[in-house]
Amino acid sequence: MADERTPRPKISVGEKDEECRDDAAQERPADDGRYTVADAVRDGAGRLSAWVSRTFPGHERAFWGAVVGFVAAIAFLVVGPWPLVVIAVFVLAGVAVGQALDGDPRIVNTLRRLFTRGNQ
């Protein structure tokens, strides 16, 4: 009888069960000691930013530009040139629409200046 040797989990029904439900229904306090995914991302981003600042002092933006260029190169190789151009056009159009809705249509104004006849 191997089953008798293994402990079975105890299941209680009654007052304790209702207390557990009441505790779960209450809101958690702001600092309950749990480490969430958002906390981990925030900590990781802070550590990465600190490392970049220590490793490349005064050239942090150049480093991030290189990272963006590397990601763009990988996307170019994986996706291909024409789909990447289509994605870039849609992203640019989205930014232009967002700027227009914000009341500062810089991309639209730049395109108007480039394509007007009195440009010469």
Side-chain angles (χ1 to χ4, degrees):
M1 300 268 171
D3 291 335
E4 293 177 5
R5 292 182 185 172
T6 58
R8 293 183 182 176
K10 294 182 180 180
I11 299 173
S12 62
V13 178
E15 294 178 15
K16 290 182 181 179
D17 191 25
E18 290 178 15
E19 289 175 7
C20 291
R21 275 190 237 139
D22 291 339
D23 291 341
Q26 294 175 357
E27 294 182 26
R28 278 190 256 150
D31 185 20
D32 60 357
R34 294 185 184 184
Y35 193 67
T36 64
V37 174
D39 295 333
V41 170
R42 203 172 306 120
D43 289 347
R47 288 181 183 194
L48 180 64
S49 178
W51 176 81
V52 169
S53 295
R54 279 192 321 270
T55 308
F56 305 103
H59 302 288
E60 294 90 358
R61 291 187 178 140
F63 173 80
W64 290 116
V67 169
V68 168
F70 180 72
V71 170
I74 296 297
F76 182 80
L77 292 173
V78 170
V79 176
W82 295 114
L84 197 62
V85 168
V86 170
I87 290 169
V89 166
F90 279 117
V91 168
L92 186 65
V95 171
V97 168
Q99 285 180 350
L101 292 174
D102 285 342
D104 185 24
R106 287 182 274 162
I107 293 176
V108 173
N109 291 339
T110 302
L111 289 174
R112 282 184 185 156
R113 259 184 289 139
L114 287 174
F115 292 110
T116 56
R117 288 185 180 238
N119 194 0
Q120 289 104 23

